[in-house]
Amino acid sequence: MKVLFVHQNFPGQYLHLARYLASVPGNQVVFITQRQQGELPGVKKIVYRPKRTITPQVHHYLRESEAAVLNAQEVARIAMDLRQSGFVPDVMLGHNGWGEIWYLRDIFPQAPLVGYFEFFYRLHGADVGFDPADPITPDTAPRLRTKNLGNLLALDTANLGQCPTQWQKTGYPKRYHPILHVIHEGIDTQVAAPDPQARLGIPNTDIQLAAGDEVVTYVARNLEPYRGFPVFMRSLPSILARRPNAHVVIVGGDDVSYGPRLSGGRTFRQDSLNELQGSLDLTRVHFLGRVPYPTFIKVLQVSRVHVYLTYPFVLSWSMLEAMSAGCLIVGSRTAPVEEVIRDCGNGLLVNFFSPAEIADRVVEALEEPHAHDSIRRNARRTVVDEYDLRTVCLPAHLHLLAALARQSHGPKRTSDSQLGIAPANARMNMI
């Protein structure tokens, strides 16, 4: 089976699927990306860059669209080279967010395409207008409608789509729901698992934190408002004052993934520290920056309580990984968190905008170390039952690909083995 993946940030959401398919004898897996770093065994990676930057004076509604066209053109050129070399994929998969998949079926019209559809921009019911400090303006609605050009082009060209949560799927227009399948990328619950012996050393200090200590954790790709970082920081003075032995471990970079940047090159971390100057015991607040994955897992394993806050937006892998590691989650009462967490069942839900409520829930968890053990167990059980990589998500991906390949390549190719896809229970140990 020949498989073509496209994602500008290799391997993106395709880590597990690409690695698995490349491990099946006889498969050929090609991955087109902009990212130089990283390799996967058996995966041929082709790196590209757009030929030029966007036109300086292009209308600001169209900046992302022009950048996406430039990406799509370059991916199409690579696809033509692949076709010339004899590589014609049996199936193609790619994220729609940067335009890369738009022209693939013009090069390979017989190859089915599965698009990854993460978020459809809308004026109400999601991130826009969620924060009262960022009001909707007359410019907002037309800007968002134009921003969805890429979503609509990709929906038109894809045979099927994948969404990671039901809430993210429901954001797309209903006419497209029949082709959108809710399949999460999957959590490796054997790696993200509780470890009562876990220990975490804080760099450049003598501090060693262990499972069972009063450790509050917060994780985001970047420390920014979309993930509730300023609100979390405002909860810390109360937490630290009421729990003098507590330590706070914060993982995340100083860039901005979502939403506007601050002026003058300022970071949200420094802004929060300036705002709270004099009210934080910084000997107990530890900013680790971005960390290797094994360190991230250790952070979760020593956590007594893990705070996850988000605008109504895409769900972070880290929340599910924290649940899998047996963390007690204090999460925001927002979508799609509420799709996963049931208040007082497998986590605790709070008002996103209330530092006082966040602090109260965190302090309760620190005061009574075993009072929430059943919630921790339920959190892990939720992920094992509904998001486990080996038993749930990867088999669902393979089933989708097998059905799509059979549909596209006719009745003669009907068995999973002919497609290079083994039964789900036969090869999960290869990951």
Side-chain angles (χ1 to χ4, degrees), residues 78-136:
I78 294 172
M80 286 188 282
D81 290 342
L82 287 170
R83 185 181 62 188
Q84 183 68 25
S85 71
F87 180 89
V88 176
D90 295 297
V91 65
M92 304 181 290
L93 303 98
H95 197 298
N96 84 301
W98 302 276
E100 295 167 310
I101 66 173
W102 291 355
Y103 309 144
L104 282 175
R105 295 198 66 220
D106 298 316
I107 313 305
F108 300 117
Q110 303 305 315
L113 171 64
V114 181
Y116 189 97
F117 294 93
E118 194 164 22
F119 195 72
F120 195 87
Y121 300 95
R122 45 187 164 153
L123 189 61
H124 302 291
D127 57 328
V128 173
F130 174 69
D131 188 343
D134 185 21
I136 292 173

Side-chain angles (χ1 to χ4, degrees), residues 42-340:
V43 175
K44 178 183 178 181
K45 190 172 77 169
I46 301 175
V47 178
Y48 80 94
R49 302 297 298 177
K51 292 295 186 185
R52 62 173 178 85
T53 58
I54 63 172
T55 308
Q57 301 304 316
V58 70
H59 192 288
H60 66 96
Y61 287 3
L62 297 173
R63 288 172 185 160
E64 291 182 6
S65 296
E66 185 182 9
V69 167
L70 294 169
N71 290 339
Q73 286 180 321
E74 199 59 29
V75 170
R77 291 186 185 102
I78 294 172
M80 286 188 282
D81 290 342
L82 287 170
R83 185 181 62 188
Q84 183 68 25
S85 71
F87 180 89
V88 176
D90 295 297
V91 65
M92 304 181 290
L93 303 98
H95 197 298
N96 84 301
W98 302 276
E100 295 167 310
I101 66 173
W102 291 355
Y103 309 144
L104 282 175
R105 295 198 66 220
D106 298 316
I107 313 305
F108 300 117
Q110 303 305 315
L113 171 64
V114 181
Y116 189 97
F117 294 93
E118 194 164 22
F119 195 72
F120 195 87
Y121 300 95
R122 45 187 164 153
L123 189 61
H124 302 291
D127 57 328
V128 173
F130 174 69
D131 188 343
D134 185 21
I136 292 173
T137 71
D139 187 61
T140 305
R143 178 178 58 82
L144 289 178
R145 188 175 296 278
T146 307
K147 195 177 178 71
N148 278 321
L149 282 173
N151 268 313
L152 296 171
L153 278 171
L155 286 164
D156 180 66
T157 192
N159 299 78
L160 294 176
Q162 173 199 351
C163 298
T165 69
Q166 187 66 38
W167 180 79
Q168 286 164 261
K169 172 183 174 177
T170 59
Y172 282 83
K174 288 184 178 179
R175 68 176 70 93
Y176 297 108
H177 286 189
I179 69 167
L180 297 176
H181 296 255
V182 177
I183 305 175
H184 195 270
E185 298 82 68
I187 302 299
D188 191 336
T189 62
Q190 296 180 18
V191 174
D195 179 4
Q197 305 305 315
R199 299 185 68 85
L200 176 72
I202 301 300
N204 304 314
T205 74
D206 296 327
I207 297 171
Q208 290 283 326
L209 302 176
D213 291 346
E214 292 192 24
V215 180
V216 181
T217 55
Y218 172 94
V219 173
R221 183 191 308 171
N222 285 302
L223 308 179
E224 57 188 323
Y226 259 64
R227 299 308 190 191
F229 174 71
V231 183
F232 170 70
M233 288 294 290
R234 293 178 191 125
S235 75
L236 295 186
S238 176
I239 294 169
L240 295 171
R242 293 155 68 182
R243 303 304 300 173
N245 293 320
H247 284 259
V248 181
V249 178
I250 299 171
V251 172
D254 282 328
D255 205 348
V256 176
S257 299
Y258 314 110
R261 298 175 181 272
L262 292 171
S263 62
R266 294 175 296 135
T267 68
F268 288 104
R269 175 169 64 95
Q270 194 55 55
D271 253 31
S272 291
L273 291 173
N274 291 342
E275 175 188 333
L276 300 169
Q277 192 171 19
S279 63
L280 287 177
D281 178 359
L282 292 177
T283 66
R284 295 189 286 139
V285 180
H286 312 291
F287 291 92
L288 303 190
R290 294 180 177 173
V291 299
Y293 193 75
T295 303
F296 162 70
I297 294 297
K298 288 297 180 188
V299 169
L300 300 180
Q301 290 169 335
V302 303
S303 176
R304 176 83 65 86
V305 56
H306 181 80
V307 179
Y308 178 74
L309 309 172
T310 184
Y311 281 27
F313 197 55
V314 301
L315 186 68
S316 304
W317 295 331
S318 65
M319 190 193 86
L320 296 175
E321 289 164 320
M323 294 174 70
S324 181
C327 291
L328 174 66
I329 306 294
V330 171
S332 55
R333 196 176 287 109
T334 53
V337 177
E338 293 175 294
E339 184 175 324
V340 181

